Amino acid sequence: MTELDGVERLHPVLRAVATTRTDFSPASIRLMREPFDQRRREAAEHTDASGVQIAEDKATGESGRVRVRVYRGGPSKPPAPVVVYCHAGGFTLGNLDTDHRQCLELARRARCTLVSVDYRLAPEHPYPAALDDAIAVLNWVAANATELGVDAGRLALAGSSAGAALVACMAHSAADGSLPPVVFQLLHQPVLDDRTTASKAEFRTSPAFDGEAAELMWGYYLGTDTGSADAVPARRNRVDGLPPALITCAEIDPFRDEAVDYALRLLRAGVPTELHVFARTCHGFDSLLPDWSISERLYTLQGHALSNAFYGD
């Protein structure tokens, strides 16, 4: 068995569960989808949803009808602030159950409505399919705010891993006026750059998710796109004017450096940005151990950041 890069630096609690690499070969992706979805579905069924109303819906846009799950954790009297959320999964895995726990935590802690997007997956649906779906949902939320009981003037974006790439792309389009304006962007362990970084090289064979899988993931997602600025947030020449951001990432993670570099670019461009690197953690630690004290710290941090953006508290 290949020695895992950085495993000795992981917190002992994580070391006990993050024991293998992610095989992202084409054949493995197709084989892992059903068991991955089943595990997340079972976890969702056993997650405490008290204080949050949940409903399924479909957003209509140019890309067709996109399934969404609406979490209402805001005030009983509308309109509530609203978040459009994109799940993790390396662009190739996942659905509305993938980040169910995270969506509940955000809706409950930030006292808001959250709309989770079931975007199309690569490699069957390469760029721009997933982004088109996320954009369709954002436009649908803004256009139907009254019917949905939400406040389009307090609209934020949030996403994890590959979902955070979609969120970052939408934040750029919102800033240039081609999408509805947003007041905040929350990027957790974001995938932002298709190019080589020091952390991708250092964690080439790290537990949970590694540099090799990151390289394959981008290939599936980009398809025939060669890494345009429209598809890859870190390739954007300018980041000034973007909405305020919270960027959180793991220490033992191939995506760590691009998250840190992007946060520094935002700060240098005058964008209010908070960056938090969770020491001794790996990519997806909050999904591996959602009840862990460090995951609780993450939820608290994210909830406070969104609540502050919406309510000023």
Side-chain angles (χ1 to χ4, degrees):
M1 180 178 174
T2 304
E3 184 177 348
L4 301 179
D5 298 327
V7 68
E8 72 286 347
R9 292 162 55 184
L10 282 178
H11 191 288
V13 173
L14 267 177
R15 205 179 305 155
V17 295
T19 57
T20 59
R21 298 174 57 195
T22 299
D23 183 352
F24 240 53
S25 63
S28 294
I29 288 172
R30 290 174 174 84
L31 287 173
M32 73 172 73
R33 276 180 177 166
E34 185 175 344
F36 177 87
D37 290 345
Q38 182 178 346
R39 289 195 303 272
R40 295 302 173 92
R41 181 171 60 251
E42 291 173 352
E45 290 171 351
H46 293 90
T47 300
D48 177 16
S50 60
V52 180
Q53 296 180 345
I54 303 172
E56 307 286 325
D57 207 336
K58 287 186 178 180
T60 303
E62 293 182 4
S63 62
R65 292 173 65 80
V66 183
R67 290 180 61 240
V68 297
R69 183 173 292 164
V70 181
Y71 299 77
R72 298 185 184 276
S76 56
K77 184 178 180 181
V82 61
V83 176
V84 173
Y85 184 92
C86 297
H87 66 76
F91 297 119
T92 66
L93 301 172
N95 55 31
L96 295 175
D97 290 329
T98 302
D99 288 345
H100 180 71
R101 171 66 178 272
Q102 289 86 344
C103 292
L104 281 168
E105 296 287 351
L106 292 178
R108 186 184 290 126
R109 293 168 186 264
R111 295 166 288 158
C112 66
T113 292
L114 184 145
V115 181
S116 181
V117 183
D118 189 20
Y119 56 83
R120 285 169 291 172
L121 301 176
E124 296 90 342
H125 303 284
Y127 172 83
L131 182 57
D132 284 347
D133 289 347
I135 287 172
V137 173
L138 174 59
N139 283 328
W140 175 76
V141 169
N144 296 277
T146 301
E147 293 83 352
L148 292 168
V150 300
D151 182 0
R154 290 184 293 168
L155 196 163
L157 302 171
S160 177
S161 194
L166 307 179
V167 163
C169 287
M170 289 193 292
H172 279 279
S173 296
D176 68 23
S178 55
L179 287 179
V182 299
V183 299
F184 195 76
Q185 55 178 322
L186 188 155
L187 311 177
H188 177 49
Q189 55 191 16
V191 170
L192 298 166
D193 201 339
D194 64 316
R195 297 165 292 190
T196 299
T197 64
S199 59
K200 283 176 183 170
E202 180 181 4
F203 303 122
R204 185 73 181 170
T205 61
S206 58
F209 207 91
D210 57 40
E212 182 177 314
E215 183 178 301
L216 291 168
M217 172 199 74
W218 273 112
Y220 302 142
Y221 177 62
L222 292 176
T224 58
D225 190 286
T226 56
S228 66
D230 288 338
V232 184
R235 288 184 177 269
R236 295 270 183 160
N237 290 327
R238 297 184 59 178
V239 297
D240 55 300
L242 288 177
L246 169 67
I247 298 178
T248 52
C249 62
E251 177 193 353
I252 317 301
D253 188 341
F255 304 115
R256 181 197 65 200
D257 287 2
E258 59 207 73
V260 173
D261 291 346
Y262 197 72
L264 291 175
R265 286 186 64 196
L266 294 182
L267 286 167
R268 289 167 182 153
V271 177
T273 302
E274 185 173 356
L275 169 68
H276 194 108
V277 181
F278 284 83
R280 307 182 73 187
T281 64
C282 62
H283 191 83
F285 69 89
D286 53 313
S287 293
L288 287 167
L289 295 171
D291 296 317
W292 188 30
S293 61
I294 306 303
S295 299
E296 171 66 23
R297 283 176 52 200
L298 170 69
Y299 304 146
T300 300
L301 184 67
Q302 292 174 326
H304 181 267
L306 279 174
S307 183
N308 183 61
F310 291 146
Y311 298 103
D313 57 12

